[in-house]
Amino acid sequence: MNIQSPERKITAILLAAGNSSRFGSDKLMANLPNQQTICSVTARNLQQAIPTILAIIGPHQPLRAKIFKELDIPVSVCKQATQGMATTLSYGIQCSAESHGWIIALADMPYVQPRTAQKVYQALQTGASIVAPFYQNKRGHPVGFSKKFKQELIALAGDKGAQSIIKKHQTELVRLDTNDSGILADIDIIADLDYS
């Protein structure tokens, strides 16, 4: 079954440009207990759910670029990545401006189940404006936006991501309740690698 209708291109923006300051080394290249890197697991999970993915990395991150290219995921380098996540996100939207919507995924969240990302994707395909998964009443990732928010996403700056847009348009948020605790599990420190 083709899960993408030809008239609606939804692009997953995989944000992978962070500098891992709290982790102490390049966390996206760290191995999970299954001996696969964080970024490769996150990317593969996303690939199972969404046909079109664009990975955004920062300058001087060749190992990340290599992994994504081996997975046939297009990579674009955001030269201003050090300005924060919102700057990287804005760049990713501009790089895929022809899309009908976007799913914002974080490369340090390898425990998000593919079916959760697929539900976000399907909600956008069927007309949702903003969609996010929830676990035990807490909003997580990935989050989807329709093209009506393109200019607001491009205008983002700093390190707060798209939270301000979700807050401003709370009444348009489609809530997906899940049993996927991985939507809240980002890896910031070495102890986070042992997730269960």
Side-chain angles (χ1 to χ4, degrees):
M1 183 180 80
N2 182 4
I3 61 172
Q4 179 168 345
S5 60
E7 70 276 10
R8 293 183 67 84
K9 178 182 179 183
I10 308 296
T11 300
I13 305 293
L14 182 56
L15 298 178
N19 61 13
S20 310
S21 57
R22 282 182 282 177
F23 195 81
S25 61
D26 186 348
K27 69 178 175 183
L28 296 187
M29 299 306 300
N31 282 341
L32 294 166
N34 65 6
Q35 299 308 304
Q36 296 181 50
T37 63
I38 291 170
C39 68
S40 65
V41 171
T42 303
R44 286 192 183 100
N45 287 344
L46 210 54
Q47 281 183 310
Q48 291 181 51
I50 302 165
T52 303
I53 303 171
L54 174 64
I56 307 298
I57 64 172
H60 316 300
Q61 295 174 335
L63 295 178
R64 298 181 191 186
K66 181 175 184 287
I67 284 180
F68 294 134
K69 287 175 182 175
E70 287 173 353
L71 293 171
D72 291 324
I73 294 175
V75 176
S76 189
V77 177
C78 177
K79 294 179 180 177
Q80 291 79 36
T82 55
Q83 294 178 15
M85 182 193 299
T87 299
T88 307
L89 170 53
S90 170
Y91 174 81
I93 301 298
Q94 293 174 68
C95 289
S96 55
E98 77 290 350
S99 298
H100 292 88
W102 297 270
I103 296 171
I104 313 306
L106 308 182
D108 65 352
M109 298 190 71
Y111 298 110
V112 175
Q113 297 170 11
R115 70 173 180 266
T116 301
Q118 187 173 23
K119 287 177 181 177
V120 174
Y121 175 84
Q122 290 171 336
L124 282 180
Q125 284 288 3
T126 54
S129 293
I130 306 176
V131 56
F134 282 72
Y135 175 75
Q136 294 184 352
N137 219 30
K138 295 179 180 177
R139 178 169 53 81
H141 287 88
V143 179
F145 295 90
S146 72
K147 65 179 179 181
K148 72 182 283 186
F149 297 106
K150 175 180 170 181
Q151 294 307 321
E152 288 184 62
L153 289 165
I154 289 174
L156 290 171
D159 202 32
K160 293 297 183 184
Q163 292 180 33
S164 60
I165 298 175
I166 297 172
K167 189 172 182 180
K168 180 179 177 182
H169 302 281
Q170 193 73 34
T171 58
E172 298 192 57
L173 174 64
V174 173
R175 174 181 174 136
L176 296 178
D177 288 301
T178 76
N179 61 359
D180 182 1
S181 60
I183 69 168
L184 305 176
D186 61 329
I187 294 175
D188 287 324
I189 59 175
I190 291 176
D192 294 335
L193 290 171
D194 190 16
Y195 170 81
S196 58

